[in-house]
Amino acid sequence: LSMARIHRFQEQVFDFLKTSVMKSFKDLQFIQGSKFLQDLAPQHDSVSATVLEVVANSVFGWDHVTQGLVDLGFILLDSYSPKKIFGGKAVEMTSSLSKTPAHKACNLGASILLETFKVHEPIRREILEQVLNRVIANAGSPISHFIDLLSNLISCAPLVLQNASSKITEAFDQLSFLPLTTVQGLLKAVQPLLKISMSMRDSLILVLRKSMFSGQLDARKSAVAGFLLLLKNFKILGSLTSSSCSQAIGASQVQVDVHSQYNSVANEAFCLEILGSLRRCLSQQADVRLILYEGFYDVLRRNSQLSNS
């Protein structure tokens, strides 16, 4: 990783590291499938544990490996490309695929980026920007691994990432061009930020309203799905929910009680505003109304006081 800072060695270093990681996971899979090899081969340290140990030690003045860790993490994530079935439709990961060496390497890449994000503040903005860029650029492919990473990054430091709100609002501007599943995953991932940033929430509402009147059917469907997701997450006081009454939005940072009296009033006003926007979709095509009808049951189950609105 230190040598990767030298441009002429960079490609060779990352090719070697990627090949070594993949070979280690393939060997491990081969050994786990044979009782004979398990008895024969000595137990060795996991490649994941070794790499994550480097991440942990990098906080002690190992600045020369920080950028290399970020690049390695994204290389491992980018190398994971689930196959597509006939017709080009993307297929997300199944339980069997989750055990493949390629997916284990992808998980290691995500862990590298998450742990590096936690311990190296100067690199956080770059990691966030690169993840968002991949979510937007690769929206036509299975990108659940990038959505999961984005969700983990935001959950571990929402107040810190509030300073990077401009990059997230730029991503909102692309919502009308993204597939429905990508929009739902992205908006679900940024929920902790929406709870603490009114400006980001206003930007999202503006984008969803514009999408509601888009000439593209998929954009209108995404707008309805986005509004429904917001209704589910901004609960009104007294709503029945299977989750706990308070939601942690950051490790050792702050705990926001979304059922407090103040937040309840603010949430109710916000939800009524969204309901006003959703009324307009009742005159839309059947596909748009279907998303509203199917999704509203789950909204009322999570936010029961809306039934009185």
Side-chain angles (χ1 to χ4, degrees), residues 10 19 24-25 35 72 86 104 126 143 174 217 224 295:
Q10 193 174 66
T19 303
S24 176
F25 284 127
K35 175 62 176 170
L72 176 61
F86 179 75
K104 288 181 178 179
E126 179 187 345
I143 54 169
Q174 304 297 320
L217 177 61
V224 174

Side-chain angles (χ1 to χ4, degrees), residues 78-271:
D78 291 336
S79 66
Y80 178 64
S81 53
K83 296 181 180 180
K84 297 183 179 181
I85 62 172
F86 179 75
K89 185 178 179 181
V91 180
E92 290 291 352
M93 178 196 64
T94 63
S95 58
S96 59
L97 289 176
S98 66
K99 300 178 182 178
T100 63
H103 188 258
K104 288 181 178 179
C106 172
N107 283 341
L108 174 58
S111 297
I112 292 171
L113 292 170
L114 179 60
E115 295 305 316
T116 303
F117 181 90
K118 290 178 180 179
V119 299
H120 292 288
E121 184 176 348
I123 209 76
R124 286 175 178 170
R125 188 178 183 87
E126 179 187 345
I127 293 176
L128 177 67
E129 289 182 359
Q130 289 202 45
V131 173
L132 284 172
N133 288 340
R134 283 163 168 80
V135 169
I136 302 299
N138 302 326
S141 304
I143 54 169
S144 58
H145 49 306
F146 287 115
I147 294 290
D148 290 343
L149 175 59
L150 177 63
S151 178
N152 291 332
L153 293 176
I154 292 175
S155 296
C156 78
L159 294 183
V160 173
L161 288 180
Q162 192 177 3
N163 299 327
S165 60
S166 60
K167 187 63 183 175
I168 296 176
T169 52
E170 286 177 17
F172 289 163
D173 292 336
Q174 304 297 320
L175 289 181
S176 59
F177 306 104
L178 299 178
L180 178 60
T181 53
T182 301
V183 171
Q184 291 174 319
L186 178 59
L187 294 184
K188 187 175 181 180
V190 301
Q191 286 301 311
L193 288 177
L194 297 177
K195 290 183 181 295
I196 60 176
S197 175
M198 186 170 293
S199 61
M200 192 179 300
R201 194 188 316 165
D202 291 342
S203 298
L204 176 59
I205 290 294
L206 182 60
V207 169
L208 293 178
R209 281 177 174 168
K210 288 180 179 178
S211 297
M212 187 72 81
F213 295 100
S214 171
Q216 300 294 324
L217 177 61
D218 288 344
R220 297 196 295 275
K221 291 165 67 175
S222 294
V224 174
F227 280 133
L228 290 174
L229 187 62
L230 291 174
L231 286 177
K232 280 195 293 187
N233 284 279
F234 285 84
K235 298 182 180 65
I236 300 174
L237 186 66
S239 292
L240 300 175
T241 174
S242 57
S243 61
S244 60
C245 290
S246 61
Q247 178 171 348
I249 66 169
S252 69
Q253 287 188 1
V254 64
Q255 183 125 358
V256 173
D257 185 359
V258 297
H259 289 261
S260 68
Q261 186 65 35
Y262 172 79
N263 278 331
S264 173
V265 174
N267 286 352
E268 183 172 12
F270 182 58
C271 289

